[in-house]
Every structure is written in structure tokens, then in C-alpha cells.
Amino acid sequence: MPFSYQVLERSSDSAARLGRLQTRHGTVNTPVFMPVGTQATVKTLTPDELIRAGAEIILSNTYHLYLRPGTDVIAAAGGLHQFMGWDRPILTDSGGFQVFSLGDLRKISEDGVEFRSHLDGSRHFIGPEDAVRIQMDLGADIIMAFDECAPYPAEREYVKRSKDMTSRWADRCRKAHTRTDQAMFGIIQGGMFHDLRRESAEEITAMGFPGYAVGGLSVGEPKPLMYEILDELVPHMPKDKPRYLMGVGSPDALVEGVLRGIDMFDCVLPTRIARHGTVLTRTGRFSIRDLPYARDFQPIEEGCGCYTCQRHSRAYIRHLLKAKEMLGYRLTTIHNIHCLLALMADVREAIRQDRIAQFCQQFFAEYAG
Amino acid sequence: MPFSYQVLERSSDSAARLGRLQTRHGTVNTPVFMPVGTQATVKTLTPDELIRAGAEIILSNTYHLYLRPGTDVIAAAGGLHQFMGWDRPILTDSGGFQVFSLGDLRKISEDGVEFRSHLDGSRHFIGPEDAVRIQMDLGADIIMAFDECAPYPAEREYVKRSKDMTSRWADRCRKAHTRTDQAMFGIIQGGMFHDLRRESAEEITAMGFPGYAVGGLSVGEPKPLMYEILDELVPHMPKDKPRYLMGVGSPDALVEGVLRGIDMFDCVLPTRIARHGTVLTRTGRFSIRDLPYARDFQPIEEGCGCYTCQRHSRAYIRHLLKAKEMLGYRLTTIHNIHCLLALMADVREAIRQDRIAQFCQQFFAEYAG
């Protein structure tokens, strides 16, 4: 069996759980944060550096890879793992979210989405079957059904139609998927409407996917609203399948998601803010470009085990960023990725010891956003 | 003794020689190529990656570091080694070449150079004593006297005046230098005029520096002219001191320089062309951005031992460069630096075995520029 998920421990005072994904490229311990490698590279880093930072699985983007270098190139390389030199598990999104984010450049119909490339304006069409075919060619271990992610805010009527179509598309994706060495996850939509979320969960889980994602959150709504939807939705998701909250990666939201029974997360946040000079710590974040760090020869975070904190000072990193030196972006990226992965490792240990509620209480006592 | 140079072997049929520099940060085997870390970083790379590529010494730029982050910041860090996390030898240039390159932004007098910062237009003055003081604060193992590098082409009259002033400045630098744990090299100027070169060599070597550089070459003149100057000049340089040809780093010029008795080289070429997608090989260079490499899954250079060639294909690197992903620039930089350092390691081995002339003959038979 190429893909399986097993719950190892359940928290006694929350929905948090410890689990393990088995894929043909190895094991992933959950709850897990997946760094994002949009264009077949987690920006600035080598695969070796990702491993050193503790990454067990990464996410890559179907839309971007389809446009450049092209699915055919990656297939000719023997698949995405081979192409980018990463031999641990990969999850690809369906391209849906990116395509919908194109705004005026795309047109949605029951068949799929017609859009213009953000690179050269060329015309393309991706429907559910295309998204699956592309993802089969890319060869990730986990692939995603093609969905429509409704914007926030959105009218109930729009969200309902979108949710219904997402369910029909999920069914078409399921039927188009023939690779037995990949797991396809279904995506639950329904915006901020409890009943639509419940309906979506029923429709999608009825199709019997090996895992389920919550899409359409972290799209601009206040965080308490996201947590409310999770409180409502997660109990309607299968207990024996992995649950993936898409596009979420701030430390506080990771912890809140784990407490509500989420097993997988992905987000560009740690890599994106790193390139703007913002570094994460266990207690919040700060901009290392600020003047006070010019002569601060401490590491970014005292006690951090990452490569950056072992070797380089805030003052040096600030200098590199001010001088627009690429090494600066690398060092902040390494730290931010490590920071989230170390948080998740601590979260897993706390679940294993059944003290996750206590862990979270302490985390939030120290966390200042 | 904090600095010494020893000749280990001499070629029997050329001026090539094998040597060893001892510094307080360790040993450097010569002939050596020094990668350039202009702003306290060899662009895109960590110190660890430089070591893995075989770097024994790097060069950094006084002018850039003086302006940003500022000499005071680096002194507060405990010096440049500490600041950038590189514990092997460092050579700093005097800032002269960069300041003269500012063109209209600078004014030269006997005292020194008044200039405006290329960063913010602020006014500065650096004279010989200032250049030495800054380099003492930076704390490199080898520092350079402050010289004027005459442009090419230039009138004899201009070059003569410039050469004379460079000699007076060298004497002022020598007198201002008080750190006994640093070696200061003198710089020979004289443009493309044989007699001026000879005069400069006499004047500068009379001051008794522990090493001598040839400045003012590779400034736009045809390569045969540079080799002619070296043929004429090197015999007038001390046999028991290291000879450093500044700003030279193309594979063919390295080999030609070694044959003429040069021990040290530096150049931004391997790192600069890497960022434009041009990679060096033992037989020449090519642009990996070109279309034929889109589906070429071989390494950049078959048999190359660098990290890039061990892990990644031309097709992947091309994709990264086309997508402007920083990892692409890193991978081409690693390869180019390694390529020159491996060439120099082979050159040293050939001198040790006294077959450098044969080695060079074979090198040029395969080299297509």
C-alpha cells in the first residue's frame, strides 16, 4: 500500500492527535507544517538545507510548474522529486487556488477555468481532469482535487454554487485519477457558512478520499472566524483520515489548528516574510532590518538550533539584508522554516505526553504575535 | 611570526612555483585563486559552502565595508572574520580601485581621494593612512597599500605621475601600519609602459613589503599585452615573496599567470557570470539559460565534484534561473567557484610533479574560451 495514515496518540483534553503518514517517499510525522516550494524550490534553499531544518514533506504548486518549466519537462526528468532533487514526500496543490487568484485573467465555468498566464498572457484551460493529469505527471505523493476557493467576503448564494461545483469537480477528479502510488485528498469548501461547510464535508467525505483538506480559510477573514469554522467542521471529518488546513502557517494558527484536530498545514508565510527581513521566534516576530540590530551580535533567537543561529549574528544578517545580499534571505529563510518545524516537533512531543493543552497555554502566555 | 611565505617547488621549464602562505588564520597553498566577497559575503554562499568548494582564502573590499555596515560595526564584532563567520585567511584590498572606479564622483590629490558614496552621495575622504587604519580595524590577514590604478588606455605622462604618487603613498601606508599580525603588500603600477613598471617595481620592492601585487592590469587591455607586461615585470619582483596579480580570474589568464610566476589571483568573474547564468567548465563556458538545456538532465560538467554537479541537472538549474529563483544563482556560483579552485589545485599538483608546461599545453588544447 503506497499511502496510509495512522493515528498514534489522541489528546485527552483536546482534538489534537499524533499521527503518521506513510508514502512511497517515506514517513511524515503529524501534525506537520509543510514548507512551500512554489516553483520546485523552497525559495533560496537546497533540499539538504530543508532536511537540516527538519522538513519531512514539502508542497509545490501545480499552476506554476505547469506554466514553467512545463509538465513535460518535469515528466521527462522522471517526476518532480527527481527534477528538484528532493526524495522525501511532496504534496502538490491542484492549481485551483492560484488560478482563481488571477482575478480578471480567468473565467470559471462548470468545465473548469480558462485563464491567461501571469508570465506571458498566453491562454490556457484547466479543468478537474487536467489538474489531475498534470499532478499525475508531476508525481507527488499527495495530490489535491481541483476546487473553487470562494473569496472572503462572499454572498451565501455564490458560496453555495461554488461549493456544489467543487463537489462535482471532486467526483470528476476522483474518476480521472489512476495512479495508485499517489493519494488524492478531497477539499471541503463552504466559506464562512456553517451549514454549507457541513454539506461540503458530507459530500466530499462520501467520496472516500484517503485524506481531506479544509480549503477557503485564511483568505482574509478574522482568525476567530476561522477557528469557529474549524470548531464546527472538524467533528464532521473522518477520524481515521488526515486533515489538512490549507494556507495556514502563523505560529498561533498552527497551534490553534492542532488543538482542533488538524494534522497538516502549509503556508508561504515563513519564507515570504523572511525575504522582507522579518524573523519568527517562539514569542512573536521582529524585523531584523531595524536599526537596533546593527550592532547586535546575538543570534536571531537565543537557544535556537538552526544553522543561521548557530553561525551568524543579527548584525551580520541585517548588514546582508540592507546590502541586498542573497545570503541574508537564505539565513532568515532557514531560521523561519526551522522555527515552525521546531514548534511542530514540540507540539508532537506534547501530544505524545498528553500535555498539549498545557503546552498551548504556555505557548500563548509567551506569544505576542 | 604571524605571516610567512615559502616556495616549496619551482618548475624547471617555466617561472611557475608552488608555495605556502602562513597566516594567523591558517595556511594557503599557492598558486591560489581568491573568491571575492565584496560586502563581507561571497555572493550567495555561506562560509561552509566556500570551504566545501575548496576556498582557502577570500578577498573582501575595504571601500564597500567602510560605507556599509561601517568599519566601526565590524570592529565591534571583533573584526571581519568574526563578523562574517569565516575563520580562514582574508585579504582586503585598499579601497583604491573602487574609489577610482567612481569616475566623476571622486577627486584625487596627493593627500588622497575625496569621493561621494555610490550608496547615498555622502562625502568622504580616504588617504593612504585612512586606508591602512580601516584595514587594521577590519583585521584581514593580508592588507593592501593604497594605490592609484591608472585607467587603460592612458597617456604616459599621466601613468608616470600616478605611478610616482602610488610609490609615495605606499611609503605612507607602510609607516601607518602598526598591526604586526597582518601582512601589508605593496602594489606595483606603471600601466602598459615597461620602463614605468620597472621603476615601480624598484621603488615598491625597496620598501621591503612581505608580498607584492601587480595592479593596473586586466583593466581593459588585450590579454597579450597583459602577458607581455608580466613577462617584463615579474623577473624584477623578489623571488622569495608572494606575487599577486589583482583582478584576474578567467581560467586561461590564471594558467598564463602561473606560468609567469604569479602566486595569487582574485576576480569577481566566477561569481558575477554565475548570476547571469554563465557557467565555467575546464573547456570554456556556456550560458545554461539557453534553450537546449531545458531538457538536459546531465550535470553542468560531467565528472565535476562540486555540490551542484553532484545533485542537480542543467535542466533544473535553467528552470531556476528562468524563474529568477535564488537557488539557481547559488548553484551556478558554487560550480564556478569550485571550477576555478579545482583548476588551481590541478595546477599546484602539476607544479609539484614538475609537469606544469605539459599541463598547460593540454589545458589550452582543450580550452575554447
Side-chain angles (χ1 to χ4, degrees):
Chain A
M1 167 121 171
F3 178 85
S4 69
Y5 170 71
Q6 199 188 349
V7 177
L8 303 176
E9 302 283 348
R10 287 175 202 280
S11 157
S12 61
D13 53 6
S14 78
R17 66 228 197 126
L18 192 72
R20 188 179 288 153
L21 300 172
Q22 303 278 7
T23 78
R24 74 188 200 284
H25 286 95
T27 296
V28 176
N29 293 291
T30 61
V32 67
F33 174 76
M34 302 183 282
V36 177
T38 304
Q39 305 192 100
T41 165
V42 175
K43 286 193 190 302
T44 83
L45 302 186
T46 61
D48 287 332
E49 286 165 333
L50 283 168
I51 289 173
R52 226 178 306 159
E56 291 191 333
I57 177 171
I58 60 169
L59 178 146
S60 199
N61 289 98
T62 291
Y63 166 77
H64 288 90
L65 297 178
Y66 160 79
L67 289 180
R68 184 173 59 193
T71 318
D72 52 336
V73 169
I74 293 177
L80 185 54
H81 294 83
Q82 195 85 356
F83 181 65
M84 66 179 290
W86 170 258
D87 61 7
R88 293 191 178 190
I90 299 176
L91 182 150
T92 44
D93 71 0
S94 68
F97 183 76
Q98 272 76 27
V99 168
F100 296 116
S101 303
L102 291 173
D104 289 348
L105 291 174
R106 49 80 175 159
K107 217 176 102 187
I108 308 170
S109 69
E110 183 72 24
D111 286 346
V113 185
E114 197 185 315
F115 64 95
R116 285 176 178 277
S117 160
H118 74 287
L119 297 175
D120 62 7
S122 57
R123 277 179 190 285
H124 300 266
F125 178 86
I126 293 184
E129 292 78 9
D130 306 297
V132 170
R133 185 180 40 71
I134 297 167
Q135 289 185 89
M136 286 197 288
D137 285 346
L138 296 177
D141 302 274
I142 302 173
I143 72 173
M144 302 303 295
F146 194 65
D147 62 329
E148 187 192 353
C149 176
Y152 175 83
E155 295 295 323
R156 182 189 164 83
E157 190 53 29
Y158 180 94
V159 176
K160 163 122 179 75
R161 263 186 290 123
S162 167
K163 183 275 293 174
D164 289 347
M165 187 171 68
T166 289
S167 292
R168 290 190 296 272
W169 283 2
D171 194 47
R172 285 167 57 183
C173 287
R174 201 174 50 84
K175 285 171 181 153
H177 188 226
T178 55
R179 269 186 83 152
T180 56
D181 59 349
Q182 291 182 312
M184 179 191 285
F185 283 17
I187 303 178
I188 297 166
Q189 291 287 354
M192 307 302 156
F193 302 96
H194 290 201
D195 57 333
L196 297 182
R197 283 282 173 185
R198 234 173 10 244
E199 278 180 29
S200 180
E202 275 165 31
E203 291 161 8
I204 299 292
T205 60
M207 295 177 204
F209 289 101
Y212 297 95
V214 182
L217 292 183
S218 198
V219 290
E221 80 283 8
K223 277 179 178 172
L225 184 49
M226 171 168 82
Y227 302 144
E228 190 191 305
I229 296 291
L230 289 179
D231 283 334
E232 160 64 25
L233 174 62
V234 175
H236 296 277
M237 294 172 73
K239 289 193 171 13
D240 58 345
K241 302 291 179 201
R243 303 166 185 149
Y244 163 26
L245 178 55
M246 304 181 84
V248 165
S250 68
D252 52 328
L254 291 176
V255 169
E256 296 282 8
V258 165
L259 285 175
R260 287 164 175 83
I262 298 296
D263 306 299
M264 303 164 68
F265 304 86
D266 81 282
C267 194
V268 295
L269 175 110
T271 43
R272 179 169 293 169
I273 66 175
R275 293 196 303 284
H276 295 106
T278 298
V279 289
L280 296 167
T281 69
R282 197 53 77 86
T283 58
R285 61 179 79 173
F286 64 90
S287 171
I288 202 164
R289 297 175 56 96
D290 290 350
L291 190 58
Y293 304 112
R295 287 156 182 272
D296 185 338
F297 300 109
Q298 300 175 89
I300 292 174
E301 188 170 19
E302 200 56 61
C304 174
C306 84
Y307 179 85
T308 302
C309 289
Q310 296 299 307
R311 305 295 181 105
H312 295 292
S313 68
R314 293 170 172 183
Y316 181 57
I317 298 166
R318 177 181 189 272
H319 161 65
L320 294 174
L321 293 172
K322 297 296 277 186
K324 298 189 171 57
E325 286 285 355
M326 289 191 209
L327 181 56
Y329 309 117
R330 290 181 59 187
L331 294 176
T332 51
T333 301
I334 287 172
H335 173 80
N336 281 358
I337 293 277
H338 180 276
C339 180
L340 291 191
L341 295 175
L343 171 62
M344 295 309 272
D346 288 351
V347 159
R348 289 193 299 271
E349 183 58 21
I351 300 172
R352 202 183 63 71
Q353 296 178 11
D354 200 13
R355 51 171 186 80
I356 185 66
Q358 183 197 328
F359 175 90
C360 295
Q361 201 173 12
Q362 197 179 332
F363 171 84
F364 283 111
E366 293 168 2
Y367 189 77
Chain B
M1 167 122 169
F3 179 86
S4 69
Y5 170 71
Q6 200 189 348
V7 177
L8 303 176
E9 303 282 350
R10 287 177 202 278
S11 157
S12 61
D13 54 5
S14 79
R17 67 226 196 128
L18 192 73
R20 188 178 288 152
L21 300 172
Q22 303 278 6
T23 78
R24 74 187 200 284
H25 285 96
T27 296
V28 177
N29 293 293
T30 62
V32 67
F33 174 75
M34 302 182 283
V36 177
T38 303
Q39 304 192 103
T41 165
V42 174
K43 286 192 190 303
T44 82
L45 302 186
T46 60
D48 287 333
E49 286 165 334
L50 284 167
I51 289 172
R52 225 180 304 161
E56 291 191 333
I57 178 172
I58 60 169
L59 179 146
S60 199
N61 289 97
T62 291
Y63 165 77
H64 288 90
L65 298 177
Y66 160 79
L67 289 180
R68 185 173 58 192
T71 318
D72 53 336
V73 168
I74 293 178
L80 185 53
H81 293 83
Q82 196 85 358
F83 181 65
M84 66 179 289
W86 171 258
D87 61 7
R88 294 191 177 191
I90 300 176
L91 182 149
T92 44
D93 71 0
S94 68
F97 183 77
Q98 273 75 29
V99 168
F100 297 117
S101 304
L102 291 172
D104 289 348
L105 291 175
R106 50 82 176 158
K107 217 176 102 185
I108 308 170
S109 69
E110 183 71 25
D111 286 346
V113 186
E114 197 186 313
F115 64 95
R116 284 176 178 277
S117 160
H118 74 287
L119 297 175
D120 61 7
S122 55
R123 276 179 191 285
H124 300 266
F125 177 86
I126 293 184
E129 292 78 8
D130 305 297
V132 170
R133 185 181 40 72
I134 296 167
Q135 290 184 87
M136 286 197 287
D137 285 346
L138 296 176
D141 302 274
I142 302 173
I143 72 172
M144 302 303 295
F146 194 65
D147 63 329
E148 188 192 351
C149 176
Y152 175 83
E155 295 295 323
R156 181 187 165 83
E157 191 54 30
Y158 181 94
V159 176
K160 163 120 179 74
R161 264 186 289 122
S162 168
K163 182 275 291 174
D164 289 348
M165 187 171 69
T166 289
S167 292
R168 291 189 296 274
W169 283 3
D171 194 47
R172 285 167 57 184
C173 285
R174 201 173 50 83
K175 285 170 180 152
H177 188 226
T178 56
R179 269 187 81 152
T180 56
D181 59 348
Q182 290 182 314
M184 180 192 285
F185 283 19
I187 303 179
I188 298 166
Q189 290 288 353
M192 307 302 156
F193 303 97
H194 290 200
D195 58 332
L196 297 183
R197 283 284 173 184
R198 230 167 20 239
E199 279 179 29
S200 181
E202 274 165 31
E203 291 160 10
I204 300 291
T205 61
M207 296 179 205
F209 288 102
Y212 297 95
V214 181
L217 291 183
S218 197
V219 289
E221 79 284 7
K223 277 180 178 171
L225 184 49
M226 171 167 83
Y227 302 144
E228 190 190 304
I229 298 289
L230 289 179
D231 283 334
E232 160 65 24
L233 174 62
V234 175
H236 296 278
M237 294 172 72
K239 289 194 170 12
D240 59 345
K241 302 291 180 202
R243 303 166 183 148
Y244 162 28
L245 177 55
M246 304 180 83
V248 166
S250 68
D252 52 327
L254 292 176
V255 169
E256 296 281 8
V258 166
L259 285 174
R260 287 163 175 84
I262 299 296
D263 306 299
M264 303 165 68
F265 303 86
D266 81 281
C267 195
V268 295
L269 175 111
T271 42
R272 179 169 293 168
I273 67 176
R275 295 196 302 284
H276 295 107
T278 298
V279 289
L280 296 167
T281 69
R282 196 54 75 88
T283 58
R285 62 180 76 174
F286 64 90
S287 171
I288 202 163
R289 297 173 56 95
D290 290 349
L291 190 58
Y293 304 112
R295 287 156 182 272
D296 184 339
F297 300 110
Q298 300 176 90
I300 292 175
E301 188 171 18
E302 199 57 60
C304 175
C306 84
Y307 178 85
T308 302
C309 288
Q310 296 298 307
R311 305 296 180 102
H312 295 291
S313 69
R314 294 170 171 183
Y316 181 57
I317 297 166
R318 177 181 189 272
H319 161 66
L320 294 174
L321 293 172
K322 298 297 277 187
K324 298 189 172 57
E325 285 284 355
M326 289 192 208
L327 180 56
Y329 309 117
R330 290 181 59 188
L331 294 176
T332 51
T333 301
I334 287 173
H335 172 81
N336 282 358
I337 293 277
H338 180 274
C339 179
L340 292 191
L341 295 175
L343 171 63
M344 295 309 271
D346 288 351
V347 159
R348 289 193 299 271
E349 182 58 20
I351 301 173
R352 202 183 63 72
Q353 297 178 10
D354 200 12
R355 51 171 186 81
I356 184 67
Q358 183 197 327
F359 175 90
C360 294
Q361 203 173 10
Q362 196 179 334
F363 172 82
F364 283 112
E366 292 168 2
Y367 190 76

